[in-house]
DNA sequence: CGCATTTGACCCGCGC
DNA sequence: GCGCGGGTCAAATGCG
């Protein structure tokens, strides 16, 4: 696959993504050292910034302005997010710095908008687990849709559905304007988890997959139907091994110099055809190969954190 | 049989 | 107010 890097991933994302990145400026995250952990925890992952080696993606994505001033902090996020599922195809991870979600700016990067903090998990308010936002039918008129922080990742991958350690259920697909590729909507299969993610392929660069996460996991990674349980670390490591370049807008996490193999796993019962074709056999990585032991695996329930 | 995916319809927010 | 586009729902369908 092309290893070429995206010249301007952000721009692409901005144009393709309908998620008004930064549209709601008030909800945009401005990464700062202090906020690193907060942001990460926002997704249910605990990150220890200090342990993460930061690379100089900045150079690479210099045009992506960092969020508010200190982009470095964003690096952790990527790892926490469980990363775009590229594990099957692999990616060279280069986590770009987080971009400000200023829709007005050229910063394409990711958008994270946390307009209103994640609603209390009203987990079971009825039968189905409520989505991140109040269901239309339940939502009262005038009640604004609540959006959770969103983080987008640009990944060079041939497969759309990448593994990230969590199980996802597809609940919708939409055609993307000005793009031949549809956008898929996924929800975490955990009934109590309201995390959602959107996966779409860049129209400009078909080899680029844009994954946007919204919400925070309130549980650990799950086991896979086949392949056993996988940890975030494993998933993360595996992705790093991939030959694809993944650009994570938010985090600027540092990748291990070497990507340890990771056992490929598939969440969905039906493995994507592409995945089967491009999947590489990976092996579970050792802790020292990972960016940081426990860095990715340390997950904390959303409710535990204080933002 | 249970769970995931597909897909058309519906709802909502936003721009004009 | 209207239209467009994004996002979600839910019934139908398929697969293991």
């Amino acid at each position: 696959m092309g290893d070429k890097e995206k010249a301007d991933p952000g721009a692409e994302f901005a144009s393709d993504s309908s998620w008004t990145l930064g549209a709601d400026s008030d909800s945009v995250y401005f990464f700062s050292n202090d906020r690193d952990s907060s942001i990460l925890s926002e997704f249910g992952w605990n990150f220890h910034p200090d342990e993460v080696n930061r690379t100089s993606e900045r150079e690479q994505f210099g045009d992506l302005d960092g969020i508010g001033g200190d982009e470095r902090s964003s690096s952790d996020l990527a790892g926490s997010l469980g990363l775009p599922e590229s594990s099957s195809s692999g990616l060279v991870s280069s986590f770009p710095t987080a971009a400000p979600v200023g829709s007005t700016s050229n910063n394409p990067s990711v958008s994270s908008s946390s307009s209103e903090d994640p609603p209390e998990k009203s987990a079971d308010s009825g039968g189905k687990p409520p989505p991140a936002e109040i269901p239309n039918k339940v939502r009262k008129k005038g009640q604004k849709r609540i959006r959770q922080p969103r983080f987008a990742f640009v990944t060079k991958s041939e497969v759309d559905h990448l593994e990230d350690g969590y199980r996802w259920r597809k609940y919708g697909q939409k055609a993307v304007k000005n793009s031949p590729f549809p956008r898929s909507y996924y929800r975490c299969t955990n009934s109590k988890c309201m995390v959602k993610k959107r996966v779409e392929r860049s129209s400009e660069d078909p080899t680029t997959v844009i994954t946007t996460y919204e919400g925070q996991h309130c549980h650990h990674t799950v086991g896979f139907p086949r392949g056993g349980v996988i940890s975030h670390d494993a998933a993360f490591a595996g992705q790093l091994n991939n030959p694809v370049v993944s650009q994570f807008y938010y985090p600027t996490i540092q990748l291990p110099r070497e990507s340890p193999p990771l056992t490929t796993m598939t969440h969905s019962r039906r493995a994507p055809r592409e995945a089967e074709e491009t999947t590489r056999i990976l092996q579970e990585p050792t802790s020292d190969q990972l960016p940081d032991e426990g860095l990715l695996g340390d997950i904390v329930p959303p409710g535990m954190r204080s933002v």
Side-chain angles (χ1 to χ4, degrees):
Chain A
M1 334 251 126
D3 302 326
K4 71 175 184 178
E5 295 179 29
K6 259 179 147 9
D8 186 352
E12 178 178 334
F13 181 87
S15 59
D16 290 347
S17 170
S18 54
W19 284 32
T20 47
L21 302 182
D24 23 359
S25 54
D26 57 328
S27 58
V28 175
Y29 269 129
F30 289 96
F31 293 88
S32 64
N33 292 334
D34 293 345
R35 299 222 36 168
D36 289 358
S37 53
S38 308
I39 295 170
L40 294 178
S41 11
E42 194 75 40
F43 286 79
W45 283 294
N46 247 346
F47 239 66
H48 307 292
D50 290 346
E51 321 214 328
V52 179
N53 297 319
R54 279 155 179 152
T55 52
S56 54
E57 279 101 33
R58 255 325 236 164
E59 294 179 9
Q60 212 172 342
F61 311 96
D63 51 325
L64 296 181
D65 248 357
I67 297 173
D70 188 344
E71 305 92 21
R72 300 161 42 204
S73 44
S74 53
S75 61
D76 317 294
L77 187 54
S80 69
L81 292 180
L83 309 184
E85 22 185 66
S86 52
S87 53
S88 21
S89 62
L91 38 97
V92 174
S93 51
S94 22
F95 302 72
T97 63
V101 181
S103 53
T104 55
S105 66
N106 296 332
N107 296 312
S109 336
V110 181
S111 66
S112 67
S113 53
S114 58
S115 28
E116 315 187 21
D117 234 308
E120 298 295 80
K121 286 185 186 93
S122 40
D124 313 274
S125 53
K128 294 178 79 163
E133 36 210 77
I134 302 168
N136 296 334
K137 293 183 179 179
V138 179
R139 183 166 58 222
K140 289 179 183 176
K141 258 188 183 174
Q143 187 165 358
K144 216 171 175 185
R145 178 177 300 194
I146 298 174
R147 287 254 183 237
Q148 299 197 344
R150 295 180 297 236
F151 296 89
F153 296 83
V154 175
T155 306
K156 281 274 187 183
S157 174
E158 342 168 335
V159 299
D160 293 337
H161 201 182
L162 310 173
E163 304 297 338
D164 57 13
Y166 288 95
R167 293 188 60 182
W168 302 91
R169 173 176 299 183
K170 188 174 185 177
Y171 67 90
Q173 180 173 304
K174 269 285 212 181
V176 180
K177 200 175 179 214
N178 298 324
S179 174
F181 307 104
R183 174 181 300 145
S184 297
Y185 298 87
Y186 296 88
R187 202 186 332 256
C188 184
T189 56
N190 187 311
S191 60
K192 295 173 188 171
C193 186
M194 301 184 292
V195 177
K196 287 182 286 189
K197 79 171 179 180
R198 297 186 333 172
V199 178
E200 62 185 278
R201 204 167 269 285
S202 170
S203 59
E204 291 181 17
D205 184 358
T207 64
T208 299
V209 176
I210 301 170
T211 303
T212 306
Y213 290 86
E214 179 178 348
Q216 54 189 224
H217 287 284
C218 59
H219 57 96
H220 290 265
T221 50
V222 301
F224 296 83
R226 25 185 167 176
V229 178
I230 181 175
S231 66
H232 246 320
D233 308 68
F236 179 61
Q239 294 176 32
L240 297 180
N241 196 23
N242 290 323
V244 240
V245 175
S246 127
Q247 302 174 334
F248 299 83
Y249 282 151
Y250 265 70
T252 329
I253 219 169
Q254 129 142 41
L255 344 170
R257 330 149 234 289
E258 227 164 311
S259 45
L262 163 71
T263 300
T264 300
M265 57 261 162
T266 304
H267 296 228
S268 54
R269 299 173 58 167
R270 299 183 219 171
R273 204 169 313 145
E274 302 93 335
E276 293 179 356
E277 296 173 347
T278 61
T279 295
R280 296 162 46 176
I281 301 301
L282 304 174
Q283 192 174 329
E284 195 147 2
T286 58
S287 59
D288 63 358
Q289 288 179 301
L290 298 173
D292 179 276
E293 184 177 16
L295 194 59
L296 299 172
D298 189 0
I299 301 173
V300 291
M304 299 300 283
R305 75 191 158 81
S306 59
V307 179

